[in-house]
Amino acid sequence: GVHRLHVTKARIGGDALPFRRAGRGFPTCALRRCTDHPVGTVFLSDTLFSRGQTSGLAIRLIGREGAIDLHVPPGLFAALPRTAAVP
């Protein structure tokens, strides 16, 4: 079966990132791909967004079941609009 993730925090290295959990009405499709259950949104500064575009980012999602380490490659940042970054 498929299990839902219950993410409550996001970090890069030891630094916390702004994270907002997805509500029930949250859209389940992004970049023309649909997922089963979105867990939320990680907000990046312009600096982190730029770093992501050049070298990707390693992000840790933390929840009640433990932590998941993700690597987001630079190519995924190229597909996002620049307005996705938070000043």
Side-chain angles (χ1 to χ4, degrees), residues 21-52:
R21 291 185 60 186
R24 294 209 179 266
F26 197 87
T28 59
C29 297
L31 301 175
R32 298 185 190 142
R33 295 185 191 149
C34 296
T35 59
D36 291 318
H37 304 285
V39 296
T41 304
V42 175
F43 296 93
L44 302 175
S45 66
D46 280 335
T47 302
L48 285 175
F49 194 90
S50 294
R51 184 178 1 151

Side-chain angles (χ1 to χ4, degrees), residues 4-80:
R4 290 187 185 199
L5 298 174
H6 298 279
V7 176
T8 56
K9 299 177 191 173
R11 299 180 93 64
I12 289 183
D15 298 326
L17 295 172
F19 176 79
R20 181 174 41 198
R21 291 185 60 186
R24 294 209 179 266
F26 197 87
T28 59
C29 297
L31 301 175
R32 298 185 190 142
R33 295 185 191 149
C34 296
T35 59
D36 291 318
H37 304 285
V39 296
T41 304
V42 175
F43 296 93
L44 302 175
S45 66
D46 280 335
T47 302
L48 285 175
F49 194 90
S50 294
R51 184 178 1 151
Q53 288 180 309
T54 58
S55 59
L57 291 176
I59 298 174
R60 174 171 273 204
L61 301 178
I62 304 165
R64 63 184 183 210
E65 294 89 3
I68 298 171
D69 293 318
L70 303 172
H71 175 71
V72 183
L76 289 181
F77 286 91
L80 296 173

